Amino acid sequence: MAEAVFVLTGAGVSAESGLGTFRDAGGLWRRFDPMRLATPEAFARDPAEVLAFYDLRRRGVVAAQPNAAHRALAEAQARLAARGGRLFLCTQNVDDLHERAGAEAVHMHGELLKTRCQACGGIHAQHGDLGVDEPCPACGRAGGLRPDVVWFGEMPKHLDRIDEALRGSDLFVAIGTSGSVYPAAGYVAEARALGLRTCELNLEPSDNAHLFDLVRYGPASEIVQEFFR
Ligand code: NAD
């Protein structure tokens, strides 16, 4: 295996932990309109409705457990580090299942189990429901806390760190992502242009399937373990 691996994960890696994907039939995202809920405008218009949606998702994340795919990635990360290599784990997921499996991950779309204060910028852990008038634990201002997730129209996080990691890698692996949300969806083309080998592990071909040198299709809990064995 390559010694510097860049892994991009999406909602598919957490699907077998019971967290619905974006496109899941019957999933949260089919029942709620993200443009109505996952935007700064929606939060300004109706904070109670937006917070209720995130409360529902947060409860799901707290109740979920990491699956074999999260564990296989954590083990591969530790194994590579032990022999001087690196597995950079970039996730679009806002859950904490990579961390609970023992991995270190960079959350480009933020983290659901954290809040950010719009007044002071402080970031704090949040495991329970978030009330509209809850005061910020740092500055005390009430009504300024929002989930620390990236909403539509907002800039993803850690882009410089991600770009640097991509440039320093020799293998790019996309896992459980549909290749429809940018900028993450563009990373495979960028990886190819940089000369990295590219691999897709997914339940079914993504929108970008033609850009991968190697593809493996099946449930993440099986194919991720096999790939990183
Ligand atoms: P997506 O829903 O667009 O695509 C999910 C992909 O996972 C699909 O390609 C699907 O074929 C695949 N998949 C489904 N079940 C799988 C399984 N068992 N094993 C392997 N692959 C499986 O998700 P995305 O590409 O991550 O982009 C959607 C956006 O939705 C992201 O911005 C993400 O932040 C957000 N989101 C996050 C979570 C989470 O944090 N767990 C859940 C839903 C949506």
Side-chain angles (χ1 to χ4, degrees):
M1 182 182 295
E3 289 300 309
V5 183
F6 185 106
V7 173
L8 171 70
T9 63
V13 82
S14 296
E16 289 162 88
S17 294
L19 301 180
T21 65
F22 217 17
R23 296 170 162 193
D24 244 355
L28 272 185
W29 297 97
R30 284 275 161 114
R31 286 186 278 136
F32 295 92
D33 175 3
M35 290 315 285
R36 209 183 131 78
L37 292 162
T39 67
E41 294 75 21
F43 188 57
R45 192 173 52 236
D46 192 344
E49 187 185 31
V50 171
L51 292 185
F53 170 67
Y54 283 96
D55 284 347
L56 213 59
R57 291 189 65 199
R58 193 182 301 104
R59 288 180 213 157
V61 167
V62 168
Q65 295 298 327
N67 65 51
H70 298 108
R71 288 193 293 273
L73 284 167
E75 282 158 22
Q77 192 177 57
R79 205 165 53 234
L80 269 171
R83 59 171 197 247
R86 188 209 63 199
L87 187 154
F88 184 87
L89 183 50
C90 171
T91 186
Q92 298 168 85
N93 295 344
V94 296
D95 64 54
D96 66 342
L97 298 182
H98 283 308
E99 285 83 358
R100 279 201 266 147
E104 233 176 74
V106 169
H107 288 262
M108 64 184 297
H109 292 164
E111 296 174 73
L112 187 53
L113 301 191
K114 290 184 180 166
T115 58
R116 187 168 78 245
C117 174
Q118 297 184 107
C120 74
I123 293 178
H124 298 277
Q126 180 78 29
H127 287 251
D129 290 356
L130 177 61
V132 173
D133 292 322
E134 215 155 293
C136 168
C139 73
R141 196 194 124 177
L145 293 181
R146 57 166 279 182
D148 190 28
V149 299
V150 175
W151 283 330
F152 291 102
E154 295 183 325
M155 185 70 106
K157 294 169 172 252
H158 315 296
L159 292 182
D160 289 347
R161 233 179 119 191
I162 291 168
D163 185 61
E164 193 186 313
L166 199 55
R167 287 175 188 283
S169 298
D170 34 44
L171 173 65
F172 173 85
V173 186
I175 304 172
T177 176
S178 61
S180 54
V181 178
Y182 283 82
Y187 290 164
V188 59
E190 211 176 312
R192 281 182 84 86
L194 290 166
L196 278 68
R197 283 179 299 124
T198 55
C199 172
E200 164 160 276
L201 310 178
N202 208 12
L203 194 58
E204 54 194 31
S206 69
D207 296 350
N208 291 326
H210 60 287
L211 294 173
F212 291 93
D213 300 318
L214 178 79
V215 293
R216 293 278 181 276
Y217 297 119
S221 61
E222 292 171 17
I223 56 178
V224 175
Q225 281 195 82
E226 276 160 27
F227 185 80
F228 286 101
R229 209 183 340 246

